[in-house]
Amino acid sequence: MNQDSILRALVADNLVSDPTSARGRLLHEAARLFRDKGYERTTVRDLAAAVGIQSGSLFHHFRTKEEILKAVMVETIRLNTALMQAAVDAAETDRDKLQALVRAELESINGQTGEAMAVLVFEWRSLSEASQAYVLRLRDIYEQLWLDVLEALRHAGMLAAEPFVVRRMLTGALSWTVTWYRPDGGLTLDDLTEQVVAMMGLKASRA
Amino acid sequence: MNQDSILRALVADNLVSDPTSARGRLLHEAARLFRDKGYERTTVRDLAAAVGIQSGSLFHHFRTKEEILKAVMVETIRLNTALMQAAVDAAETDRDKLQALVRAELESINGQTGEAMAVLVFEWRSLSEASQAYVLRLRDIYEQLWLDVLEALRHAGMLAAEPFVVRRMLTGALSWTVTWYRPDGGLTLDDLTEQVVAMMGLKASRA
DNA sequence: CAATACCAAGCAAGCGCTTGGTTTGTAAAC
DNA sequence: GTTTACAAACCAAGCGCTTGCTTGGTATTG
């Protein structure tokens, strides 16, 4: 399963919008605008202009502006959960699984879905409470992928801190790369992955 | 130099507003509101109501709403830079200095100045470019404190990754605690500091 | 008696969203 | 293979409300 086929499978199940459809293009532009200017500073007129329609026509596709924000977040989580799952499945050892997760999350934050991931981090409070609860449930699935791997490492004596603390620190550290990492800065995502794993100082397995 | 005397010195030099003055109280309330609802969602009427005056009266103290956001950020950085400097100076070894910095930053994020620190992280884009540039210069001083310590550790062979990468990861990891850490959750800031330092897996000095 | 701090009222602009009507794509009916 | 039918997609206009900020005047304080 490569990235493209994972995306296609989700589109087929109607869990993610086809990027070439009107809805898909709007969500992509919305993610970019929300990241660049913030949700509140982005007007429905901005969103409409970005896809070349009138502001009123937006409401043919979405009932409210907030629904657009929610859709950006929901679809992003769905896609990345599937990508993460594939990354974990493809790795052999727990250490490799962790490295694969770090690499995949860095990719999701700084690659194709980067705009949407930044929105997920920085525009959280602009979601209504009901939407927050919904997105949170999706996020839990995603987080469990991490915790399973970290707990295995902890159990093997390779991890010096509590898995849930480690995961939260990693969430912050990796999310934050969106504010400073630039692929043309002489540091590849592989380099970065290596540095992160090195920094964590995993010990040799007791087993 | 304890924390109170550091604050008093800054107030005396007019670098930070007296927390008991009208301006100081407004900035404190503004930080709280900006963190809770975001800068854009917080209206000047909200701000005025929080200190018990009319919205128009705000503009006697600040020329624009953005100036309030800028003041929150500037004063917070000034205070925390001074606190950090004191923490570093008080520690002996480089390892202890790092631990002191981690502890101090966790304190600043989750303690008294927590609201303002969260604003600094999440409301950055709401600042005008001119203000961003100004705040960035102040931040550089603060960051250099960290880099000096991390470079010393690296030089001693205790650090497995590049200092500037480590600092950026730490910035993200520690900032992120504001979204999940609760002091009443059975984990003290000391515990957390310990876990962070443990997670980094500092090696024994070569010296 | 001047400066500082505030109030009451409201303006101009921009906001999300609605409305009534027109175009466009598609596919069956003839 | 043209006509008819109809929904989806869109436009032009603008409504009602909120926003940051201004104005002219009044207390309060040293």
Side-chain angles (χ1 to χ4, degrees), chain A residues 9-79:
Chain A
L10 289 169
V11 170
D13 290 351
N14 248 316
L15 292 170
V16 166
S17 303
D18 184 343
T20 64
S21 72
R23 184 187 157 99
R25 275 182 299 116
L26 174 64
L27 289 180
H28 188 79
E29 290 299 316
R32 193 178 52 80
L33 284 166
F34 290 163
R35 184 200 56 177
D36 289 349
K37 324 198 331 174
Y39 172 78
E40 305 290 344
R41 290 177 109 90
T42 304
T43 69
V44 293
R45 287 164 181 83
D46 291 335
L47 292 168
V51 290
I53 60 175
Q54 293 290 59
S55 67
S57 306
L58 268 189
F59 296 89
H60 183 72
H61 299 281
F62 296 90
R63 290 214 314 282
T64 64
K65 182 187 170 190
E66 196 229 337
E67 203 173 81
I68 300 176
L69 178 61
K70 181 180 172 184
V72 167
M73 292 188 177
V74 166
E75 298 204 359
T76 303
I77 294 192
R78 283 184 184 147
L79 176 58

Side-chain angles (χ1 to χ4, degrees), chain A residues 171-186:
Chain A
T171 303
L174 300 180
S175 300
W176 192 245
T177 59
V178 80
T179 66
W180 63 270
Y181 176 74
R182 294 292 169 266
D184 53 347

Side-chain angles (χ1 to χ4, degrees), chain A residues 34-35 38 40-41 121-123 125-126 160-162 166 168-169 171-173 176 180 195-196 198-200, chain B residues 34-35 38 40-41 121-123 125-126 160-162 166 168-169 171-173 176-177 180 195-196 198-200:
Chain A
F34 290 163
R35 184 200 56 177
E40 305 290 344
R41 290 177 109 90
V121 172
F122 287 104
E123 305 299 333
R125 278 169 321 176
S126 295
E162 289 295 326
V166 174
R168 281 172 165 158
M169 292 294 165
T171 303
W176 192 245
W180 63 270
Q195 298 249 352
V196 171
M199 197 181 85
M200 292 181 62
Chain B
F34 289 164
R35 184 199 58 177
E40 305 290 345
R41 288 177 112 90
V121 172
F122 288 102
E123 304 301 332
R125 279 169 322 177
S126 295
E162 289 295 325
V166 174
R168 281 172 166 159
M169 293 294 166
T171 303
W176 192 247
T177 59
W180 62 271
Q195 299 249 354
V196 171
M199 195 179 85
M200 292 182 61

Side-chain angles (χ1 to χ4, degrees), chain A residues 115-166:
Chain A
E115 284 131 0
M117 287 293 283
V119 171
L120 207 42
V121 172
F122 287 104
E123 305 299 333
W124 181 251
R125 278 169 321 176
S126 295
L127 269 192
S128 69
E129 283 198 29
S131 300
Q132 283 189 14
Y134 181 80
V135 175
L136 216 51
R137 284 218 314 280
L138 291 180
R139 245 188 136 136
D140 282 344
I141 304 169
Y142 181 97
E143 290 301 317
Q144 198 57 49
L145 279 174
W146 281 87
L147 289 175
D148 288 346
V149 172
L150 289 171
E151 259 148 26
L153 285 166
R154 176 71 163 167
H155 196 252
M158 297 171 69
L159 201 64
E162 289 295 326
F164 89 95
V165 173
V166 174

Side-chain angles (χ1 to χ4, degrees), chain B residues 167-187:
Chain B
R167 170 52 188 157
R168 281 172 166 159
M169 293 294 166
L170 278 174
T171 303
L174 300 181
S175 300
W176 192 247
T177 59
V178 82
T179 67
W180 62 271
Y181 176 75
R182 295 293 169 266
D184 52 347
L187 198 68

